[in-house]
Amino acid sequence: MRIALAQLNFHTGNFGDNLQKMLHAMEHARQERAEIIVFPELAICGYPPRDFLEFSDFIRQCNETAVQLAIACRDITAIVGCPTINPNIKGKNLLNSALVLREGEIIAARHKTLLPNYDIFDEYRYFEPNTAFEVVECCGKRIALTVCEDIWDIGEDPMYTVSPMDELMKQQPDLMINIAASPFHYEQAGLRREVMQYNARKYGIPLYYVNHVGAQTELLFDGGSLVVSAGGHICHEMAYFKEEVGVFESDHLTETNIHEQSGHRQELFARVGLVHDALVMGIRIYFEKLGFKRAILGLSGGIDSAVVLVLACEALGASNVRSVMLPSPFSTSHSVSDAVSLAENTGSPYDIIAINDIYDAVNNTLKPFFGDLPFDVTEENIQARIRALLLMALSNKYGYILLNTSNKSEAAVGYGTLYGDMCGGLSVLGDVYKTGVYELAQYINRDREVIPGSIITKPPSAELRHGQKDSDSLPEYEILDKILYQYIEQRQGPRELIAMGFGEGLVRRVLKLVNTSEYKRHQTPPILRISAKAFGMGRRLPIVAKYLS
Amino acid sequence: MRIALAQLNFHTGNFGDNLQKMLHAMEHARQERAEIIVFPELAICGYPPRDFLEFSDFIRQCNETAVQLAIACRDITAIVGCPTINPNIKGKNLLNSALVLREGEIIAARHKTLLPNYDIFDEYRYFEPNTAFEVVECCGKRIALTVCEDIWDIGEDPMYTVSPMDELMKQQPDLMINIAASPFHYEQAGLRREVMQYNARKYGIPLYYVNHVGAQTELLFDGGSLVVSAGGHICHEMAYFKEEVGVFESDHLTETNIHEQSGHRQELFARVGLVHDALVMGIRIYFEKLGFKRAILGLSGGIDSAVVLVLACEALGASNVRSVMLPSPFSTSHSVSDAVSLAENTGSPYDIIAINDIYDAVNNTLKPFFGDLPFDVTEENIQARIRALLLMALSNKYGYILLNTSNKSEAAVGYGTLYGDMCGGLSVLGDVYKTGVYELAQYINRDREVIPGSIITKPPSAELRHGQKDSDSLPEYEILDKILYQYIEQRQGPRELIAMGFGEGLVRRVLKLVNTSEYKRHQTPPILRISAKAFGMGRRLPIVAKYLS
């Protein structure tokens, strides 16, 4: 049997475009003599549809699109993810289904059993879990058809009380097909291969796994769809960060692991390269799906905005990314000159707009109210907010999206100005710690010096007062980022952190900074997610709380 | 048996204060000869603890606090909500439990079966549902002890497949106790009474229901704890928006419904009065729990900021609320004079800061980049952002929290400036439609004219260009709000809205405005929730989508 896996970038709620994309893939699969084409989880509507699922109009359009796809299934069977209505009156009203389509009919439907409801996942918000298990007979094969999470619950502390594949194995399937919507983070590719290999080995049958690719606001999907042999060897791995329709012959899977063969992939899958490619894709698709072409950003002469500029130029084309240097009375001369060198290296347009006159006007206006009170964080924030005001004015006048340049370390400890440098339509680096930003800069400079060395080597400074350095008020990033990683990604508390050897005073101070900055993060732009725990929809904390704060 | 219900305002993660509050209530109950004191769901840690539940340190502190409460249970039994560790390796790691404490011991634990995971609820994110049902023997009674949602699944389209009370009734309990954390919205009080009466009647035993009171960032809790007789009559209803410990004799519940007796409660429970009281409480507790005393807001001379000022004065005291009028070249003279009259009526301090000089400086700075391009939304936004910059500067310098004054109609259609009038630490009216703001103004003026009549009667205008009116770009609020209510609260799609008689063009235009403004709402402050569907944590939509847009 020949199976096509269609790893595509769907647009949430854009039923017409999603259908056209699937019809196009199906035509290609038919030409390649595929008998089955498999689309990812909830491909019909895009993943995640979120609360659109609560609208009966949305569900109706999902169903109508599935019917149109079925009508196109001439001489080919399609498997596609689609929300369907739960026929049982008890329980939630929807099921997260894999529909089997052929010759104008929905000939079978199987439903997701394990509904992820952690981190960025909210599936139990909408769907009733499946409780009935039956293989699908198709093209002379018995297929164990499951949806994403159904085959991921394999650890020693299982999150669910039932195993769909254990149930399906009672009916002796010939192969597994899993349709997925499994978002990227920098360890996901390795994890995904392990989980798929584990399943194939455990059940002793081949596994065909198809994932989404592309971006849905903050969520990135890397593709990497897989064919795994009954022996647990990876026979095929599809592209990363690219749409692809792969057609595979199921009866002759070789028991050879392509990952053991090809040492060069090690480099390809190195963490920094993955993060780089993910961010570039995330920017590109965010703009494409919103119908925008051009970006603007403030270029400070520091490393964060430098990296964002380069990534944006790769994503959108250098001519579509406009930088603005916005020196204040506290900016050093090298900040502007470094920023100019960088912009010229990328070939992207830039302007220099001094904020001094506006800064003076603000101070004069406030003079009757501030009197002789000393310069403090107020005046620092005023500078950051004037810059945001000017960038947003250019954005409004010319139709740019403003790119935010804050990194994860700053976002974590609240080192940033709300309505100032925390502005933007999209946060590019909000899930990358400062130490990771340096790694990205080195990766960008791997062949030639795009980012001037002086930008990489100078001590980080917000330059909002004379002689200011980040290290005046924050621990060194090498230490800070380690604590933040343990607290945010690994959910380690003060006791565990102190046991790891971090000083108690430092630990308490950092955790307090993180927890009391929740109110700032509440108002930040969507953050491209590249780690297993990003700020945003996957991390939900109260603003008003008194815990480690 | 005498039962105490402790309806208290807990502080998330503040274990020390929560324990002291419970010990104090317990002492009072003991003096009133209560045999049992009942605290609400997750009272130990505050509700909702959200992702703090993922920290083992947090769970450890919950357990330690429960143990300390148990030690204080001399001659009295306490029932208290607390997260506990799931002893089964399969399934999620936590249970949402009701602990029964006496003489230093945790003598029983019962766990929540029905885990709400819709709107603002995320309980299946953390908790495994209970599957075992057993009454608690206590003080000679057989108690059916359940947690909140366990007794709410009573409609014709049940969301769950099991009924905890149906199971517990097999063991012939003498009474029901339900510990709850049921957030306020303006129809919740009536709904709550109906649900509790339904349960008491259906099972033919009395019901003791205890709820939280207070505020947790955006979520408001109105209290209104209930004692319902076996006949389904409401024998006692505790205070709204106030902490209270009620002690009730369980063996002599009269079969009389206090709500049928007292016609005056109709008025008390009128929607606008409830919303008013909820918002005042929400502001007050937000400031209290964050340790702030003083608020600042921009007073435009329009109705939204007028209502916010009055609510803030009630919550914080007039002397703690500072208004700033920030006229631009486009402000009408009555805007400032109306705002001044209002501030003087409330007795709160105010300042007038013209933004003209800064506006000129911004325009001059941008002149080389804008050339002769016409005045457009850019210049409107510049004014709004200068105001925000000045308000935030005052906030930074003096330690105010800036109150946001946007209403739900504006937030819905994106009629507001990001980093401008959409700024603030707390959105007071973000869940109140414009028509509801007028109702609040009338309610505020019920005894005397606090808000000048001219503020109420003038046509709404942002005054960001000459002669501007909201009605230039938006439908009349009377119509707009009806469409928004059906779309947002009732999840009606275009087909249903058109069938209701709204014009197709108008419906499509409004829905498109709502859906394409998602990116703005992503960056708004937390919004005090007074409806069944507020913007914020209870409404989750993608920014990048193409549905009705």
Side-chain angles (χ1 to χ4, degrees):
Chain A
M1 183 170 63
R2 286 174 72 81
I3 301 182
L5 302 181
Q7 168 183 299
L8 302 173
N9 169 26
F10 296 97
H11 193 175
T12 305
N14 194 340
F15 296 100
D17 280 13
N18 291 347
L19 179 63
Q20 285 311 311
K21 195 166 271 207
M22 289 190 279
L23 292 177
H24 193 260
M26 197 188 282
E27 190 49 42
H28 172 78
R30 205 185 273 112
Q31 283 168 11
E32 296 279 324
R33 296 171 293 105
E35 289 154 87
I36 302 185
I37 181 165
V38 188
F39 299 101
E41 179 180 8
L42 297 185
I44 291 276
C45 56
Y47 186 96
R50 309 197 79 192
D51 286 0
F52 285 140
L53 289 171
E54 297 184 351
F55 288 82
S56 58
D57 174 78
F58 190 86
I59 302 302
R60 191 163 48 221
Q61 291 203 48
C62 288
N63 180 58
E64 285 170 7
T65 308
V67 167
Q68 288 183 268
L69 187 65
I71 290 168
C73 285
R74 302 279 165 219
D75 304 318
I76 192 165
T77 298
I79 293 174
V80 66
C82 183
T84 64
I85 293 170
N86 181 4
N88 293 324
I89 188 75
K90 282 192 176 183
K92 297 187 190 252
N93 292 334
L94 295 177
L95 301 165
N96 184 346
S97 305
L99 301 179
V100 186
L101 312 176
R102 190 161 55 203
E103 309 294 338
E105 303 283 332
I106 297 171
I107 61 167
R110 296 296 179 268
H111 315 294
K112 192 170 187 175
T113 305
L114 308 187
L115 298 171
N117 211 65
Y118 50 83
D119 194 58
I120 57 95
F121 295 108
D122 275 319
E123 293 196 18
Y124 189 67
R125 186 172 169 90
Y126 313 106
F127 298 115
E128 184 67 13
N130 167 63
T131 54
F133 302 94
E134 195 183 350
V135 298
V136 174
E137 305 262 0
C138 182
C139 311
K141 300 282 186 189
R142 297 166 66 79
I143 301 171
L145 176 57
T146 57
V147 183
C148 203
E149 189 86 346
D150 283 343
I151 61 171
W152 277 77
D153 196 32
I154 63 171
E156 298 201 339
D157 179 15
M159 202 184 291
Y160 308 94
T161 54
V162 63
S163 162
M165 272 311 302
D166 283 1
E167 300 297 322
L168 286 166
M169 282 309 290
K170 296 171 186 167
Q171 299 171 34
Q172 294 150 339
D174 300 308
L175 70 156
M176 292 179 266
I177 293 179
N178 183 266
I179 66 170
S182 196
F184 170 81
H185 60 78
Y186 59 73
E187 292 171 319
Q188 180 73 357
L191 200 57
R192 179 171 58 220
R193 287 196 301 269
E194 280 173 32
V195 168
M196 298 308 138
Q197 292 181 283
Y198 172 92
N199 275 278
R201 277 195 207 107
K202 176 172 179 189
Y203 298 112
I205 52 175
L207 168 59
Y208 293 80
Y209 167 91
V210 64
N211 192 16
H212 283 252
V213 72
Q216 306 288 355
T217 313
E218 54 274 84
L219 296 188
L220 308 175
F221 294 86
D222 58 345
S225 302
L226 291 165
V227 178
V228 186
S229 71
H233 297 291
I234 292 172
C235 307
H236 304 284
E237 180 171 49
M238 288 169 61
Y240 279 60
F241 307 115
K242 271 207 309 218
E243 292 191 303
E244 188 181 345
V245 180
V247 182
F248 309 102
E249 180 59 63
S250 75
D251 297 323
H252 311 289
L253 293 180
T254 56
E255 289 293 342
T256 315
N257 195 324
I258 58 168
H259 280 277
E260 287 161 8
Q261 290 176 302
S262 51
H264 76 280
R265 300 212 117 179
Q266 290 304 85
E267 194 190 335
L268 178 67
F269 294 125
R271 184 166 57 83
V272 183
L274 278 180
V275 169
H276 171 275
D277 294 355
L279 294 176
V280 170
M281 179 190 73
I283 298 168
R284 178 174 59 79
I285 296 181
Y286 185 82
F287 278 69
E288 275 176 15
K289 287 186 176 172
L290 286 178
F292 277 75
K293 285 198 180 329
R294 297 188 302 165
I296 193 168
L297 74 161
L299 212 56
S300 69
I303 192 161
D304 301 313
S305 55
V307 167
V308 172
L309 172 60
V310 176
L311 296 174
C313 288
E314 289 193 50
L316 306 171
S319 64
N320 290 316
V321 186
R322 181 174 181 180
S323 298
V324 188
M325 296 70 158
L326 297 142
S328 84
F330 305 101
S331 301
T332 53
S333 60
H334 66 75
S335 292
V336 175
S337 60
D338 285 347
V340 167
S341 304
L342 168 66
E344 289 178 347
N345 287 356
T346 63
S348 60
Y350 66 90
D351 294 294
I352 302 171
I353 309 181
I355 68 168
N356 300 33
D357 291 350
I358 304 173
Y359 184 61
D360 288 344
V362 170
N363 284 332
N364 287 334
T365 298
L366 286 170
K367 183 98 183 125
F369 305 94
F370 286 1
D372 294 326
L373 289 171
F375 181 105
D376 64 9
V377 72
T378 306
E379 284 75 16
E380 296 184 32
N381 285 336
I382 286 172
Q383 296 166 65
R385 291 187 178 121
I386 291 170
R387 291 184 174 123
L389 188 151
L390 292 171
L391 289 165
M392 287 303 298
L394 289 160
S395 160
N396 287 160
K397 196 62 111 186
Y398 291 104
Y400 302 109
I401 291 179
L402 174 61
L403 292 176
N404 172 283
T405 64
S406 303
N407 64 58
K408 190 173 189 175
S409 309
E410 293 171 345
V413 297
Y415 196 75
T417 300
L418 257 182
Y419 325 127
D421 54 302
M422 293 178 70
C423 283
L426 182 69
S427 166
V428 176
L429 298 178
D431 197 29
V432 182
Y433 290 114
K434 186 78 173 186
T435 45
V437 178
Y438 282 101
E439 290 173 350
L440 276 169
Q442 279 150 8
Y443 182 86
I444 287 166
N445 281 0
R446 65 197 180 284
D447 296 327
R448 66 180 183 96
E449 189 178 277
V450 180
I451 299 175
S454 53
I455 288 181
I456 298 177
T457 53
K458 72 172 89 166
S461 166
E463 296 196 337
L464 295 170
R465 61 171 79 201
H466 287 303
Q468 186 178 33
K469 300 264 181 301
D470 289 12
S471 55
D472 298 343
S473 46
L474 296 178
E476 294 294 337
Y477 285 113
E478 284 293 334
I479 306 289
L480 177 65
D481 287 357
K482 288 195 174 88
I483 296 175
L484 293 174
Y485 172 80
Q486 290 297 334
Y487 182 55
I488 295 164
E489 270 88 334
Q490 299 296 322
R491 261 84 88 213
Q492 298 299 310
R495 203 180 288 204
E496 294 89 346
L497 284 161
I498 293 160
M500 286 174 199
F502 298 107
E504 175 164 359
L506 178 64
V507 165
R508 300 244 170 236
R509 184 174 147 230
V510 171
L511 271 43
K512 180 174 177 157
L513 284 172
V514 175
N515 285 8
T516 55
S517 304
E518 206 52 55
Y519 78 100
K520 287 192 179 181
R521 288 189 294 272
H522 190 91
Q523 300 188 37
T524 45
I527 294 169
L528 293 178
R529 176 182 179 275
I530 58 100
S531 81
K533 185 57 76 179
F535 294 126
M537 65 190 280
R539 189 172 184 275
R540 304 177 188 172
L541 287 162
I543 291 173
V544 176
K546 188 78 187 164
Y547 175 62
L548 308 177
S549 63
Chain B
M1 184 170 64
R2 285 173 73 80
I3 300 182
L5 303 181
Q7 168 181 302
L8 303 172
N9 170 27
F10 297 96
H11 193 174
T12 306
N14 194 340
F15 297 99
D17 281 12
N18 292 347
L19 178 63
Q20 285 311 312
K21 194 167 271 208
M22 288 190 280
L23 293 178
H24 194 261
M26 198 188 282
E27 189 49 43
H28 172 77
R30 205 185 273 111
Q31 283 168 12
E32 297 279 325
R33 296 169 294 105
E35 289 154 87
I36 303 185
I37 182 165
V38 188
F39 299 101
E41 179 180 8
L42 297 184
I44 291 275
C45 56
Y47 187 97
R50 309 198 78 192
D51 286 0
F52 284 139
L53 289 170
E54 297 184 350
F55 289 81
S56 57
D57 174 77
F58 191 86
I59 302 301
R60 190 163 49 222
Q61 290 202 49
C62 288
N63 180 58
E64 285 170 8
T65 308
V67 167
Q68 288 183 270
L69 187 64
I71 289 168
C73 286
R74 302 277 167 221
D75 304 317
I76 192 165
T77 299
I79 293 174
V80 66
C82 183
T84 63
I85 292 170
N86 180 4
N88 294 325
I89 189 75
K90 283 192 176 182
K92 297 188 189 251
N93 292 334
L94 295 176
L95 300 165
N96 184 346
S97 305
L99 301 179
V100 186
L101 312 176
R102 190 161 54 203
E103 308 293 337
E105 304 282 333
I106 297 172
I107 61 167
R110 296 295 179 268
H111 316 294
K112 193 170 186 174
T113 306
L114 308 186
L115 298 171
N117 211 65
Y118 49 82
D119 194 59
I120 58 94
F121 296 108
D122 276 318
E123 293 197 19
Y124 189 67
R125 186 172 168 92
Y126 313 106
F127 297 114
E128 183 67 14
N130 168 63
T131 54
F133 301 94
E134 195 182 351
V135 298
V136 174
E137 305 262 0
C138 183
C139 310
K141 300 282 186 187
R142 298 167 66 78
I143 301 171
L145 177 57
T146 57
V147 183
C148 204
E149 188 86 347
D150 284 343
I151 60 170
W152 277 77
D153 196 33
I154 62 170
E156 298 203 337
D157 179 15
M159 203 185 290
Y160 307 94
T161 53
V162 64
S163 162
M165 272 311 303
D166 283 0
E167 300 298 320
L168 285 165
M169 281 309 291
K170 296 171 187 167
Q171 299 172 32
Q172 293 150 340
D174 300 307
L175 71 156
M176 292 180 265
I177 292 179
N178 183 265
I179 65 170
S182 196
F184 169 81
H185 61 77
Y186 59 74
E187 292 171 320
Q188 179 73 357
L191 200 57
R192 178 171 58 221
R193 288 196 300 268
E194 279 173 33
V195 169
M196 298 309 138
Q197 291 181 283
Y198 172 92
N199 275 278
R201 275 194 209 110
K202 175 171 179 190
Y203 298 112
I205 52 175
L207 167 59
Y208 293 80
Y209 167 90
V210 65
N211 192 16
H212 283 253
V213 72
Q216 306 289 353
T217 313
E218 55 274 85
L219 296 188
L220 309 176
F221 293 87
D222 59 344
S225 302
L226 292 165
V227 178
V228 186
S229 70
H233 296 290
I234 292 171
C235 306
H236 304 284
E237 180 170 49
M238 287 168 62
Y240 279 60
F241 308 115
K242 270 207 308 216
E243 293 191 303
E244 187 181 345
V245 180
V247 182
F248 308 102
E249 181 59 64
S250 76
D251 297 322
H252 310 288
L253 292 179
T254 56
E255 290 293 343
T256 315
N257 194 327
I258 57 168
H259 280 279
E260 287 163 7
Q261 289 178 302
S262 49
H264 76 280
R265 300 210 104 166
Q266 290 305 84
E267 193 190 337
L268 179 66
F269 294 126
R271 185 167 57 85
V272 182
L274 277 180
V275 169
H276 170 274
D277 294 355
L279 295 175
V280 170
M281 179 190 72
I283 298 168
R284 179 174 58 79
I285 296 180
Y286 185 82
F287 278 68
E288 275 176 16
K289 286 186 176 173
L290 287 177
F292 278 74
K293 286 200 180 327
R294 297 189 301 164
I296 193 167
L297 75 160
L299 211 56
S300 69
I303 193 162
D304 300 313
S305 55
V307 168
V308 172
L309 172 61
V310 175
L311 297 174
C313 288
E314 289 192 51
L316 306 171
S319 64
N320 289 317
V321 187
R322 182 173 181 180
S323 299
V324 189
M325 296 72 161
L326 296 143
S328 84
F330 305 101
S331 300
T332 52
S333 60
H334 66 75
S335 291
V336 175
S337 60
D338 284 348
V340 167
S341 304
L342 168 66
E344 289 177 348
N345 286 356
T346 62
S348 61
Y350 66 90
D351 293 295
I352 301 171
I353 310 181
I355 68 168
N356 300 34
D357 291 350
I358 304 173
Y359 184 62
D360 289 345
V362 170
N363 284 332
N364 286 335
T365 298
L366 286 169
K367 182 96 184 126
F369 305 94
F370 285 1
D372 294 326
L373 289 172
F375 180 105
D376 64 9
V377 72
T378 306
E379 284 74 16
E380 296 185 31
N381 285 336
I382 286 171
Q383 297 166 65
R385 291 188 177 120
I386 291 170
R387 291 183 175 124
L389 187 151
L390 292 171
L391 289 165
M392 287 304 297
L394 289 160
S395 160
N396 287 160
K397 196 61 113 185
Y398 291 104
Y400 302 108
I401 291 179
L402 174 61
L403 292 176
N404 172 283
T405 63
S406 303
N407 63 59
K408 190 173 189 175
S409 309
E410 293 171 344
V413 298
Y415 197 75
T417 300
L418 257 181
Y419 325 128
D421 55 300
M422 292 179 70
C423 284
L426 182 69
S427 166
V428 176
L429 298 178
D431 197 28
V432 183
Y433 290 114
K434 187 77 173 186
T435 44
V437 178
Y438 282 101
E439 290 173 348
L440 276 169
Q442 279 150 7
Y443 182 85
I444 286 165
N445 280 0
R446 65 197 180 283
D447 295 327
R448 68 180 182 96
E449 189 177 277
V450 180
I451 299 176
S454 53
I455 289 181
I456 299 177
T457 52
K458 73 172 91 168
S461 166
E463 296 196 337
L464 295 169
R465 62 171 78 199
H466 287 303
Q468 187 178 31
K469 301 263 180 302
D470 289 12
S471 55
D472 299 342
S473 46
L474 295 178
E476 293 295 335
Y477 285 113
E478 283 293 334
I479 306 290
L480 177 65
D481 287 357
K482 287 195 174 89
I483 296 175
L484 294 174
Y485 172 81
Q486 290 298 335
Y487 182 56
I488 295 164
E489 271 88 335
Q490 299 297 322
R491 262 83 90 212
Q492 298 300 310
R495 202 180 289 205
E496 294 90 345
L497 284 161
I498 292 160
M500 285 175 201
F502 298 107
E504 174 163 1
L506 179 64
V507 165
R508 300 241 170 240
R509 183 173 150 231
V510 171
L511 270 45
K512 180 173 178 158
L513 284 172
V514 175
N515 286 8
T516 55
S517 304
E518 206 51 56
Y519 78 99
K520 287 192 179 181
R521 288 189 294 271
H522 190 89
Q523 300 189 38
T524 45
I527 294 169
L528 293 179
R529 176 183 180 274
I530 58 99
S531 80
K533 185 56 77 179
F535 294 126
M537 65 191 282
R539 189 172 185 275
R540 303 177 188 171
L541 287 162
I543 291 174
V544 176
K546 189 78 188 164
Y547 175 61
L548 307 177
S549 63

